Amino acid sequence: MIELHSLEAEHGVIGAMLKQPHLIDVLSDDLSPDAFAYADNADLYRLILALHDDGQPVDVITLGERMAELPSGMRTMAYAGEIHLNTPSAANAKTYAKIIRDRAVARQIVAAAERIHEIAHDQACVEDKIAQVQSTILALGTDGGDAECQTLADMWAEHIEVIQERLDRFSKGNVMDGLGSGIPDLDRYTQGMKPGQMIVVAGRPAMGKTTLAMNIAADVGINQRKPVAVISLEMSKTQLMDRLLAAVGGIPLPSLKTGECANDYSAELTSAGLKLSQSPIVVSDVPVMTIARIRSIVRRQKHRMGGMGLVVIDYLGLVEGEGAGRTEDVTVMSRQIKLLAREMGCPVIILSQLNRSCESRPDKRPVLSDLRESGAIEQDADIVMFVYRDEVYHPNTQDKGIGEILIRKNRDGEIGMVPTAFQGDKSRFVPLAAHSRTSNVVEVNF
Ligand SMILES: Nc1ncnc2c1ncn2[C@@H]1O[C@H](COP(=O)(O)OP(=O)(O)OP(=O)(O)O)[C@@H](O)[C@H]1O
């Protein structure tokens, strides 16, 4: 068993700094004052750093001048003098700094265990408790400076591999470096959905947000064999399964609802059922969720499935906040979704509704300012795409059956519009041949 603090190591580091002040930069590089267990030592260390930052000489006298007394009441000069005297050399100071850091983490673990003990006893539901325990554990050891910054030399060494991968893909005729959506024209804009991206799919009610998101989820799960977690706060598992079967099997929804599909589309039903059941797609339809709970579910599924390719959350307006007011809540949630994408190392598609202002304009195609609830969504998102179907407003439009995907924000690429064929009865958006706006539909292939 190790002690949770080492007075000797703390004295060793401070003594080394007093004996050889040129070591202050080296030793303090990765050592926070909070890592010291003893208040007097932590304050003395802070004083050393403050004097050094001010360009002042650091010795027993200057320390005593800056602060006469330490928290214990001891005279600073006397205490620092004693440490200086008792430090034979600065030779092992780096090892002492590591001991201080390691013991600080050991103390954090004990504090986390106490916190977890409290969480186990409180009144929250079990999912919230698990989410709190996970964040308590994830917060451990995050103070290390090594993880915060990386030299450009190290980044360059890693980046060579990234460029090599891109070149390999390019020479195979594939320039996309993320997940496909199943709609090649859309992928040309995004170059694929990449890890860490927050992708907002927004639109007025019934435009087809859920349809588009589920089409993408099915393509990623079935064609690209990547794990997908669908968090559906709006629709039940039964509704989603109907839509997935309709889209993947090309089976009309009404025939699925009446059960007639069992006779009329039995081959399509069997094939779609098999494709879906063999795909790594998981669905949660718990209607009440916070982002913490979503994170906890996705983490568990990532662990269970050995990775996570894509997360879909349908939709933001139904996610519960902290109760600080909706705009503030959405601002925090939007940030948390972006962090979720980074933590899981996959893109997150978040569905969002729009305010009504687009409906009062002559051209009702949405723009970024129509995003409901908070400007933070627009800022945090890497890609914002709107689903728009002119026939919803103008039943006799010449664009009947056309679903436009309007890419209004694209952090790493162009913005623009992708026309698709909307097949509402089969719950799918189908690619159109070579930018056509006619019904020249490309075969969907799940
Ligand atoms: N059998 C059907 N035939 C034709 N269209 C259908 C059929 N069933 C559903 N639809 C259409 O599909 C669309 C539903 O799309 P979806 O639920 O994806 O929209 P949404 O934007 O997510 O809507 P909301 O915000 O209301 O949830 C509606 O426009 C609906 O009319």
Side-chain angles (χ1 to χ4, degrees):
M1 286 240 290
I2 60 154
E3 290 290 330
L4 294 182
H5 22 67
S6 167
L7 187 62
E8 296 74 17
E10 293 185 10
H11 282 176
V13 166
I14 292 170
M17 288 177 161
L18 292 174
K19 275 195 164 357
Q20 297 190 26
H22 70 271
L23 288 177
I24 294 174
D25 282 329
V26 181
L27 294 173
S28 65
D29 193 30
D30 198 13
L31 186 61
S32 147
D34 297 332
F36 285 74
Y38 296 89
D40 281 0
N41 295 338
D43 268 21
L44 201 51
Y45 179 66
R46 270 193 202 93
L47 277 183
I48 292 174
L49 298 188
L51 280 173
H52 186 66
D53 281 350
D54 292 349
Q56 301 294 314
V58 174
D59 58 36
V60 169
I61 295 167
T62 54
L63 284 170
E65 286 292 314
R66 181 66 72 103
M67 188 197 266
E69 260 184 22
L70 291 165
S72 65
M74 195 171 220
R75 306 293 297 167
T76 305
M77 212 181 287
Y79 188 59
E82 202 181 310
I83 293 175
H84 185 266
L85 211 64
N86 291 331
T87 306
S89 91
N92 299 321
K94 276 195 129 180
T95 310
Y96 298 151
K98 178 164 172 18
I99 293 173
I100 297 172
R101 273 195 307 274
D102 290 354
R103 301 290 162 96
V105 174
R107 292 195 300 278
Q108 277 181 27
I109 293 172
V110 171
E114 285 164 3
R115 172 75 194 117
I116 289 169
H117 189 263
E118 280 169 23
I119 293 169
H121 284 277
D122 79 22
Q123 297 286 347
C125 70
V126 76
E127 288 79 7
D128 284 350
K129 286 183 185 187
I130 291 169
Q132 285 179 44
V133 167
Q134 284 174 334
S135 14
T136 306
I137 289 172
L138 275 180
L140 285 174
T142 49
D143 305 337
D146 281 352
E148 282 168 12
C149 289
Q150 208 179 1
T151 64
L152 285 184
D154 288 344
M155 284 166 66
W156 166 233
E158 286 172 15
H159 208 67
I160 291 173
E161 287 177 29
V162 174
I163 290 178
Q164 186 60 52
E165 264 176 47
R166 287 176 187 163
L167 181 64
D168 291 348
R169 261 198 315 273
F170 184 72
S171 43
K172 287 181 199 147
N174 176 12
V175 288
M176 206 168 73
D177 65 348
L179 291 175
S181 65
I183 301 173
D185 281 349
L186 178 57
D187 299 339
R188 271 190 268 284
Y189 280 97
T190 63
Q191 299 298 314
M193 300 174 289
K194 294 169 207 51
Q197 280 187 335
M198 170 175 164
I199 299 165
V200 175
V201 172
R204 290 292 296 151
M207 280 292 176
K209 301 180 289 297
T210 306
T211 306
L212 179 64
M214 293 310 292
N215 287 179
I216 296 174
D219 191 82
V220 171
I222 296 173
N223 293 336
Q224 301 169 66
R225 312 293 313 163
K226 294 274 169 31
V228 180
V230 176
I231 311 294
S232 171
L233 291 96
E234 189 185 40
M235 282 192 196
S236 68
K237 287 179 190 160
T238 316
Q239 287 171 304
L240 283 179
M241 198 60 189
D242 275 342
R243 282 173 169 237
L244 283 166
L245 286 167
V248 174
I251 308 167
L253 273 169
S255 104
L256 272 158
K257 304 262 185 219
T258 58
E260 284 172 289
C261 59
N263 294 327
D264 303 346
Y265 293 90
S266 78
E268 290 86 345
L269 189 62
T270 311
S271 160
L274 195 66
K275 282 177 186 169
L276 286 166
S277 45
Q278 288 174 344
S279 71
I281 303 176
V282 291
V283 175
S284 155
D285 67 351
V286 179
V288 185
M289 283 277 181
T290 58
I291 296 288
R293 199 163 163 195
I294 292 173
R295 193 168 55 225
S296 155
I297 291 173
V298 176
R299 257 192 221 133
R300 269 202 303 281
Q301 295 307 322
K302 181 179 178 180
H303 182 66
R304 198 179 66 77
M305 299 198 279
M308 187 54 73
L310 174 71
V311 177
V312 176
I313 305 171
D314 184 5
Y315 63 89
L316 181 65
L318 293 178
V319 182
E320 280 195 347
E322 303 284 316
R326 197 59 194 169
T327 308
E328 217 167 294
D329 277 357
V330 170
T331 304
V332 173
M333 287 193 284
S334 164
R335 187 79 204 119
Q336 287 174 329
I337 292 164
K338 179 72 189 153
L339 291 174
L340 176 72
R342 291 186 63 166
E343 184 191 329
M344 295 302 142
C346 71
V348 173
I349 296 181
I350 175 87
L351 274 55
S352 176
Q353 292 206 326
L354 299 177
N355 58 43
R356 286 175 195 280
S357 39
C358 52
E359 276 164 17
S360 56
R361 295 192 296 262
D363 182 354
K364 302 186 190 328
R365 287 173 178 79
V367 294
L368 287 174
S369 58
D370 296 328
L371 280 169
R372 199 186 257 184
E373 299 177 315
S374 165
I377 308 169
E378 180 187 333
Q379 272 171 33
D380 293 332
D382 296 279
I383 297 172
V384 178
M385 54 179 99
F386 295 108
V387 185
Y388 176 80
R389 292 187 296 116
D390 204 47
E391 65 188 340
V392 173
Y393 299 110
H394 308 110
N396 298 320
T397 175
Q398 58 177 19
D399 282 344
K400 214 167 169 45
I402 297 291
E404 297 179 18
I405 302 171
L406 304 161
I407 303 145
R408 297 286 203 214
K409 178 177 179 187
N410 186 9
R411 193 161 267 154
D412 290 322
E414 284 178 64
I415 55 172
M417 190 275 283
V418 177
T420 62
F422 178 69
Q423 299 178 341
D425 63 331
K426 292 180 186 145
S427 195
R428 63 193 191 184
F429 287 88
V430 178
L432 287 172
H435 311 290
S436 157
R437 286 183 82 94
T438 68
S439 56
N440 203 0
V441 161
V442 166
E443 193 60 33
V444 207
N445 185 18
F446 282 111

